[in-house]
Amino acid sequence: MSTPPHTRATGGDALTLDVPGGGGARYWLTGLNPAAKLLAALAIGIGLIPAVDAVTGGVVLLAVLLTVPFSGVDRRTLLVLGGPFLLMGLSSGAVNYLYGEHGLEGAVGAAVRLLAIALPGLLAAVSSDPTEMSDGLVQKLRVPERPAMGVLAALRLIPLLADQWRTITLARRARGLEAGRNPVRIVTLFFGRLFALLVRSIRTGTLLATAMDARAFGTGRRTHARHSRWRTADTLLLAGTVLLLVGAYALSARLGTLVLLFS
């Protein structure tokens, strides 16, 4: 049976989520079952699809932001990983403002809804240990083992890709490949490093897939060394997610701002 998240000590390897013992409320989200967090994120994503107004998505986004201090995720990590989603939200808002039919209100609604859909999934992934995520997918959500192991491998390889990116950058700098203040050169070198990282990631993925096949992954029913536990808090999380969506729609309808996708 796996060690409960709140008792894990720091100082583990870089590929494992480390939570200090007695972390308290700051690490509340890390103690929940990853399957419950994924279901909650999925419920929010599906539930916000019909609503295109800013109030419905804004209420959900505010509630999700209030959980960030209890996720155990530091601000720098959240900004780095959430940066692309923030850029996507701003881009979506700009496009809807320029070419949409609802003007500024529609633009804000599109940006807020995208962020409200993306942030719960990001928090669910970052606040979950990769191994426990895989166990929860297989044991609680009945996901086939091959894709579950793929998720585990992907989450564990993210730090490795970051290290490889730094290695590529330092190696090219040692060869004198510097951009200086030339913006065109900066873009060219960036895509060059990106291509080199892609090649390395393909090689790593191929070796990993070969090693997993050699160990007979996905060829038959497997036993589990760890038991994925579903607690009362996990059920309350899902119930709270449903209540949050109902409350967001009710508040928007009460204010007269509710706009549905095909209305």
Side-chain angles (χ1 to χ4, degrees):
M1 184 179 296
S2 60
T3 305
H6 60 276
T7 61
R8 290 196 204 98
T10 56
D13 60 87
L15 304 178
T16 303
L17 180 67
D18 290 321
V19 179
R26 170 167 168 73
Y27 296 93
W28 167 75
L29 195 61
T30 63
L32 299 178
N33 193 298
K37 290 181 281 188
L38 287 178
L39 287 176
L42 181 62
I44 290 176
I46 296 176
L48 286 180
I49 289 177
V52 296
D53 61 284
V55 174
T56 307
V59 171
V60 175
L61 179 60
L62 177 61
V64 175
L65 288 174
L66 291 176
T67 65
V68 171
F70 308 102
S71 64
V73 182
D74 61 274
R75 296 178 181 178
R76 182 178 179 275
T77 300
L78 187 63
L79 287 175
V80 171
L81 297 179
F85 296 108
L86 181 61
L87 181 60
M88 289 170 57
L90 295 176
S91 301
S92 176
V95 170
N96 278 271
Y97 178 72
L98 294 174
Y99 304 105
E101 300 178 354
H102 301 285
L104 181 60
E105 182 179 355
V108 174
V112 168
R113 183 175 63 156
L114 192 150
L115 292 175
I117 291 174
L119 185 57
L122 176 62
L123 288 179
V126 176
S127 65
S128 300
D129 180 81
T131 303
E132 292 182 355
M133 174 76 75
S134 176
D135 290 338
L137 289 174
V138 174
Q139 299 177 36
K140 298 303 179 183
L141 301 185
R142 305 303 179 188
V143 174
E145 291 182 353
R146 274 188 176 270
M149 289 298 173
V151 172
L152 170 61
L155 291 176
R156 284 188 169 273
L157 285 178
I158 289 176
L160 178 61
L161 291 179
D163 291 338
Q164 289 181 347
W165 178 265
R166 286 191 291 269
T167 301
I168 293 172
T169 301
L170 293 175
R172 296 198 165 207
R173 185 176 300 169
R175 296 186 183 99
L177 297 177
E178 289 286 351
R181 297 183 179 180
N182 188 339
V184 177
R185 184 68 172 166
I186 292 175
V187 174
T188 303
L189 291 179
F190 172 79
F191 281 103
R193 290 195 298 268
L194 191 62
F195 180 76
L197 181 65
L198 176 62
V199 173
R200 285 198 176 194
S201 62
I202 292 175
R203 290 176 178 174
T204 302
T206 302
L207 291 174
L208 180 61
T210 303
M212 293 176 70
D213 282 338
R215 289 166 174 79
F217 277 98
T219 58
R221 185 174 180 83
R222 304 180 64 87
T223 58
H224 301 282
R226 303 171 183 83
H227 177 64
S228 181
R229 298 179 58 188
W230 188 279
R231 303 175 179 84
T232 303
D234 301 315
T235 303
L236 292 177
L237 175 65
L238 297 182
T241 300
V242 174
L243 291 177
L244 173 61
L245 288 170
V246 172
Y249 275 93
L251 178 61
S252 184
R254 183 68 177 268
L255 297 176
T257 59
L258 181 62
V259 179
L260 298 179
L261 185 60
F262 297 106
S263 61

